[in-house]
Amino acid sequence: MYDLTELQQHLQNNWQVEAKQMLWPSGPTEKLDAAFRVLEFSPGPVHAMWIYSTLGMSLNQPEDLVELHIFSDKQDATLVELLTVVASYHRNGLPLGLHHTVNFGRPWQDNSAASFGFVSLPYLDGEGLEVFEWEDKHLHTLWLIPITEEERDYKINNGWDALEEAFETRQLQYTNPYRPDCV
């Protein structure tokens, strides 16, 4: 399976910031691999925002090899919990992949209307971040974008490409918990 030290180095190289490993002490952690962590990246030269990324979300799985990251304007330990719950869902529910949505079960930050996540390509960072290769295998590091229920419904009814087009047209404010709907 993939090496977590190498994956963490891959992320640190891309974002040019040393990560802090964090572990949520409660919740569905027993469903995750014991080595699972969430990485916290402070603002740095690549992005002037906080980044939270899973590390080991797909460990010891033969398929669906993905890791997810989410952006925030502020340091927020609740995002460690959020990514832990999403990682648990990935391992024990329906595996998450590109263009999937997931119900967070609560606002992603503060009292935001965004209580769902949309799994997207890491457009802000490109393929250099997205693809992590080792031996003859690879996994994808994907962007978890907080979305509203209306945006989730729009995606279901019109397709992921229509949702991404709406994000681009309305200039999605992906770190603003109080942003307006894009649809």
Side-chain angles (χ1 to χ4, degrees):
M1 198 70 302
Y2 56 98
D3 182 279
L4 292 183
T5 303
E6 289 178 18
L7 176 57
Q8 181 172 336
Q9 192 60 52
H10 170 76
L11 298 170
Q12 290 176 163
N13 289 345
N14 276 276
W15 290 321
Q16 299 178 24
V17 175
E18 291 292 315
K20 176 182 176 184
Q21 287 194 11
M22 304 180 81
L23 183 62
W24 194 254
S26 61
T29 56
E30 74 281 350
K31 297 176 181 179
L32 297 167
D33 189 282
F36 173 82
R37 298 291 184 270
V38 173
L39 299 177
E40 178 186 68
F41 294 86
S42 61
V46 176
H47 295 300
M49 59 193 144
W50 292 85
I51 306 167
Y52 293 84
S53 176
T54 61
L55 181 70
M57 179 169 130
S58 298
L59 267 178
N60 301 313
Q61 288 189 283
E63 299 176 358
D64 306 310
L65 299 175
V66 299
E67 299 287 342
L68 299 174
H69 63 277
I70 193 167
F71 296 112
S72 175
D73 278 336
K74 64 181 182 177
Q75 187 175 22
D76 186 352
T78 68
L79 295 179
V80 176
E81 176 188 27
L82 179 79
L83 286 175
T84 301
V85 170
V86 169
S88 179
Y89 176 83
H90 169 73
R91 292 187 63 105
N92 299 284
L94 297 173
L96 294 171
L98 185 60
H99 305 131
H100 289 180
T101 53
V102 61
N103 185 343
F104 294 156
R106 65 168 174 84
W108 78 281
Q109 273 187 326
D110 303 324
N111 291 318
S112 175
S115 59
F116 291 82
F118 172 65
V119 180
S120 182
L121 291 171
Y123 291 115
L124 301 182
D125 298 288
E127 193 174 323
L129 173 74
E130 178 194 351
V131 180
F132 172 70
E133 296 180 343
W134 78 101
E135 298 170 3
D136 62 341
K137 300 176 182 141
H138 65 275
L139 71 75
H140 293 272
T141 300
L142 302 174
W143 182 11
L144 183 63
I145 303 173
I147 62 173
T148 65
E149 185 172 7
E150 291 77 14
E151 291 164 338
R152 191 266 332 244
D153 293 346
Y154 184 82
K155 179 226 161 203
I156 290 169
N157 294 323
N158 299 286
W160 64 265
D161 50 342
L163 179 62
E164 287 192 346
E165 186 175 314
F167 288 164
E168 189 172 328
T169 300
R170 296 265 180 109
Q171 299 180 345
L172 174 66
Q173 300 170 24
Y174 48 86
T175 60
N176 179 358
Y178 306 108
R179 69 173 177 79
D181 265 327
C182 288
V183 296

